[in-house]
Amino acid sequence: MSEEKKTGFFGRLFKRNRLEEKASEEVVSDATPTGEIELEEPDEHDLRIDVEQPEPEDLSQENQSPQELFRLKTGLTKTRKGFFRGLDEVFLGKRELDEQVLHRLEEALVRADIGVQTSYELLEQVTERVKRREIDNPQAVIKHIKEMIREYLEKVESPLRVGYGMEPFVVMVVGVNGSGKTTTIAKIAARHKAANRKVMLVAGDTFRAAAVEQLQIWGDRIGCEVVKGKAKADPSSVAFEAMDRALKEDVELVLVDTAGRLHTRVPLMDELKKVHKTLGKKISNSPHETLIVIDASMGQNAILQARTFNQAVPVTGVALTKLDGTSKGGVIIGISKELKIPIRYVGIGEKMDDLRDFNARQFSDALFSADESTESD
């Protein structure tokens, strides 16, 4: 690295220290996705950036306001009514446990889109404790299931940290069309722009003109440079050019969009591998994060998607979107238990701050909270 490059980096770092008053060395990214199947002009309210909000370094899920926690509970209402109301129906009018209740519990868990493997493991643990007389009433069963779910989720709780000293930090974003991938990229970028970081977007989905144009619209609104190639250009060549420019221009965060391929198309998955390899050739150890964006409404198919993508490129994080619009949000439990891939973000709405850093305790509490706490306004 030349002296000019070093001076540029430390100059930015010292300037940031003065502006942020000794901000921490990590940035917590936070944003929200929406669908991306059709090109639409983003609404102004979708990209509101409140300059009075603390920078990502200062954000803490443990210190969210009551209003923010209320929003999380509201966003998970459909999942709670779908899966967890099913548990209530299992125990309705029951004061003690018997074989019939356990059989109904098995059916409810299997229908809950948490994955068959996870369902039977939960059931096995409950049954074993019933046999040992450690739990002997419906409320104790629900409490035990909640504790096990929280344990599963805590093992994959890992918000994305973009730290200094690894610049540019490269994030490769994968996922099928309609998962909210492009707008997730845009909203992550917006939060980092609000933290005074230099962000670049890379339009790697070169086979869909609408995808490139959509990313350009977001980039213009956020104020980010967008690197794009010619129509149907080799995505790897676009990625290579972007990495070259990111190094020359002292970019701090690079977000690489990729084709919204079907995970069952082998040639397209091979293309992903090529892009991943190209990034690593230009910038050592990149991509530093490979983030898969998954639509929660896919239910158990989301687990299959994540598993298949992970076989093509090493997925290091999950963003689970559209939880507010589905009753199948329990799939997050299956992803955490069966795949053990860190969960970075959960999307619970269309607003900028509805893409949240994943917090296992708050998420499980919101799932099991009383409906009346979220339905009253």
Side-chain angles (χ1 to χ4, degrees):
M1 182 180 290
S2 67
E3 287 299 315
E4 181 180 353
K5 179 70 67 177
K6 292 179 180 177
T7 301
F9 167 73
F10 285 107
R12 290 199 317 275
L13 180 58
F14 294 144
K15 180 180 179 181
R16 182 180 294 108
N17 285 340
R18 293 194 298 271
L19 292 173
E20 299 177 1
E21 299 180 353
K22 300 180 180 180
S24 65
E25 291 187 351
E26 293 182 307
V27 174
V28 179
S29 52
D30 198 4
T32 298
T34 57
E36 61 165 330
I37 298 177
E38 297 183 1
L39 174 65
E40 294 182 0
E41 181 76 5
D43 293 335
E44 291 288 346
H45 77 273
D46 283 342
L47 279 176
R48 289 196 300 261
I49 302 176
D50 187 351
V51 297
E52 297 300 323
Q53 292 294 326
E55 295 180 356
E57 291 93 335
D58 300 321
L59 291 177
S60 172
Q61 292 285 17
E62 295 296 331
N63 298 316
Q64 285 187 327
S65 68
Q67 183 178 5
E68 290 171 322
L69 295 176
F70 175 84
R71 182 71 188 94
L72 177 61
K73 293 178 181 179
T74 303
L76 296 176
T77 297
K78 290 186 177 180
T79 291
R80 182 169 51 255
K81 287 183 175 181
F83 172 29
F84 297 103
R85 180 165 290 180
L87 292 183
D88 290 338
E89 292 175 354
V90 168
F91 301 115
L92 185 63
K94 299 289 184 179
R95 295 186 178 181
E96 58 183 37
L97 303 175
D98 54 31
E99 288 295 329
Q100 183 181 8
V101 170
L102 292 177
H103 179 70
R104 292 173 61 187
L105 176 61
E106 176 182 357
E107 293 179 342
L109 289 173
V110 170
R111 292 196 306 263
D113 285 296
I114 64 175
V116 175
Q117 177 184 330
T118 306
S119 298
Y120 280 106
E121 181 164 330
L122 285 170
L123 181 66
E124 183 179 345
Q125 291 190 43
V126 169
T127 303
E128 191 62 31
R129 295 196 66 176
V130 170
K131 290 180 179 179
R132 295 200 304 261
R133 299 184 182 278
E134 294 177 7
I135 52 179
D136 58 3
N137 64 79
Q139 288 305 313
V141 171
I142 292 178
K143 180 180 179 182
H144 182 59
I145 290 176
K146 178 181 178 181
E147 290 172 352
M148 289 189 293
I149 288 175
R150 179 181 291 180
E151 288 177 6
Y152 293 163
L153 297 179
E154 284 177 345
K155 291 178 181 178
V156 294
E157 177 187 316
S158 182
L160 181 62
R161 299 290 192 260
V162 180
Y164 303 125
M166 190 182 291
E167 298 182 351
F169 189 94
V170 181
V171 180
M172 179 179 175
V173 186
V174 301
V176 301
N177 285 338
S179 62
K181 178 166 51 71
T182 303
T183 43
T184 296
I185 289 173
K187 291 171 184 179
I188 292 174
R191 286 303 301 261
H192 284 279
K193 282 288 292 183
N196 297 317
R197 308 198 85 186
K198 190 170 184 179
V199 182
M200 173 184 287
L201 307 182
V202 183
D205 189 355
T206 59
F207 294 98
R208 283 202 313 138
V212 176
E213 188 175 349
Q214 184 183 20
L215 195 67
Q216 183 66 63
I217 290 173
W218 286 111
D220 291 343
R221 289 196 178 279
I222 301 167
C224 293
E225 178 183 5
V226 178
V227 178
K228 54 187 179 181
K230 296 180 180 179
K232 297 185 179 181
D234 181 0
S236 296
S237 67
V238 178
F240 187 88
E241 178 188 352
M243 296 303 98
D244 190 54
R245 288 169 61 174
L247 287 169
K248 292 178 180 178
E249 299 172 14
D250 291 336
V251 173
E252 297 169 274
L253 175 64
V254 181
L255 294 160
V256 183
D257 192 11
T258 58
R261 63 202 71 250
L262 292 174
H263 58 284
T264 54
R265 296 289 298 277
V266 175
L268 295 179
M269 298 304 285
D270 288 341
E271 182 187 297
L272 268 188
K273 297 177 184 178
K274 185 179 178 182
V275 172
H276 190 277
K277 186 176 181 179
T278 299
L279 295 173
K281 283 183 177 179
K282 190 62 181 178
I283 298 179
S284 180
N285 298 320
S286 71
H288 306 101
E289 170 80 2
T290 301
L291 182 72
I292 184 170
V293 180
I294 296 176
D295 179 352
S297 67
M298 292 294 99
Q300 292 188 52
N301 190 47
I303 299 176
L304 175 61
Q305 286 182 20
R307 182 180 288 115
T308 308
F309 273 99
N310 195 40
Q311 291 171 352
V313 292
V315 174
T316 56
V318 175
L320 191 65
T321 65
K322 307 183 183 181
L323 282 162
D324 59 311
T326 181
S327 61
K328 299 181 179 181
V331 70
I332 193 173
I333 302 165
I335 290 174
S336 65
K337 179 60 181 175
E338 298 183 25
L339 302 181
K340 298 179 173 60
I341 300 174
I343 297 176
R344 309 298 193 187
Y345 306 105
V346 289
I348 56 169
E350 297 182 355
K351 295 181 180 179
M352 176 67 68
D353 59 355
D354 283 338
L355 185 69
R356 308 293 184 88
D357 286 342
F358 177 63
N359 181 292
R361 180 185 61 80
Q362 293 179 354
F363 192 90
S364 59
D365 285 348
L367 283 178
F368 284 92
S369 63
D371 283 341
E372 54 266 27
S373 65
T374 62
E375 291 177 350
S376 60
D377 191 0

